[in-house]
Amino acid sequence: MKVEETAIPGVLRIEQELQPNPDGWFKENFHREKLAELGMDVVQHNVAYFETAGIVRGIHAEPWDKYLSPSSGRVFVAIVDLRSGDGFGQVETFELGTSDALYVPRDVGNSFCTLTPHTTYNFLVNEHWSPERTAVDLFDPELAIAWPLEQLKYTERDAGNPSLAELRRQRA
């Protein structure tokens, strides 16, 4: 596992080793000791399957750390720092395949867009799910996220998320 820091403090990009075999490949997606070294004690593993490309979810910042990795397909990921401080609103984007993962600390927003059909995305978290979250508009011009596909499918709930400016006012 190769770990590198990103421009957003606490967000780590992780390159996992894929072991090719005659049938495809194998990867060690979860290893307690390795994740503990990153400061994460996993309590829940969630898996989401997406049949088509262009499905977008987020931008959500939850009160738990996340370890994100596709086990099939590819995703475009946009990370937004929603923690109070100088980095508030900073955006960084990544494209993740099956050998990639991201560690995203609590209160940092994450969103993704499936780039390929039949994408399976893993979410390991260090707290059990709750409805608490901070959310921001996927298409907020201030964030200027360059979503990679023209045809996007998103939930009504995500379409109604506040802008970064609204969130800033709510916190003032």
Side-chain angles (χ1 to χ4, degrees), residues 1 3 12 31-41 103:
M1 186 164 86
V3 179
L12 303 174
H31 189 286
R32 184 183 313 179
E33 287 79 22
K34 289 177 183 177
L35 290 180
E37 287 174 14
L38 299 177
M40 187 161 186
D41 181 23
Y103 174 81

Side-chain angles (χ1 to χ4, degrees), residues 10-86:
V11 175
L12 303 174
R13 183 174 180 128
I14 299 156
E15 185 180 326
Q16 299 171 319
E17 189 174 337
L18 287 183
Q19 299 292 326
N21 63 42
D23 302 320
W25 54 264
F26 170 85
K27 77 173 178 176
E28 182 181 84
N29 197 52
F30 168 77
H31 189 286
R32 184 183 313 179
E33 287 79 22
K34 289 177 183 177
L35 290 180
E37 287 174 14
L38 299 177
M40 187 161 186
D41 181 23
V42 175
V43 300
Q44 189 169 318
H45 178 192
N46 304 315
V47 179
Y49 169 77
F50 302 96
E51 194 167 301
T52 62
I55 296 173
V56 180
R57 295 290 184 270
I59 301 167
H60 308 148
E62 296 93 359
W64 51 74
D65 303 325
K66 296 163 283 298
Y67 181 80
L68 311 169
S69 178
S71 54
S72 66
R74 296 192 70 73
V75 291
F76 171 87
V77 179
I79 303 295
V80 181
D81 195 343
L82 296 177
R83 300 170 290 189
S84 298
D86 293 340

Side-chain angles (χ1 to χ4, degrees), residues 134-138 140 157-167 170:
T134 301
V136 177
D137 182 358
L138 292 161
D140 185 333
R157 182 177 181 194
D158 282 344
N161 289 339
S163 67
L164 194 63
E166 290 173 72
L167 187 57
Q170 290 171 5

Side-chain angles (χ1 to χ4, degrees), residues 95-116:
E95 189 173 317
L96 303 181
T98 54
S99 64
D100 303 305
L102 281 177
Y103 174 81
V104 181
R106 66 189 66 233
D107 301 323
V108 172
N110 71 98
S111 58
F112 65 90
C113 173
T114 58
L115 296 175
T116 59

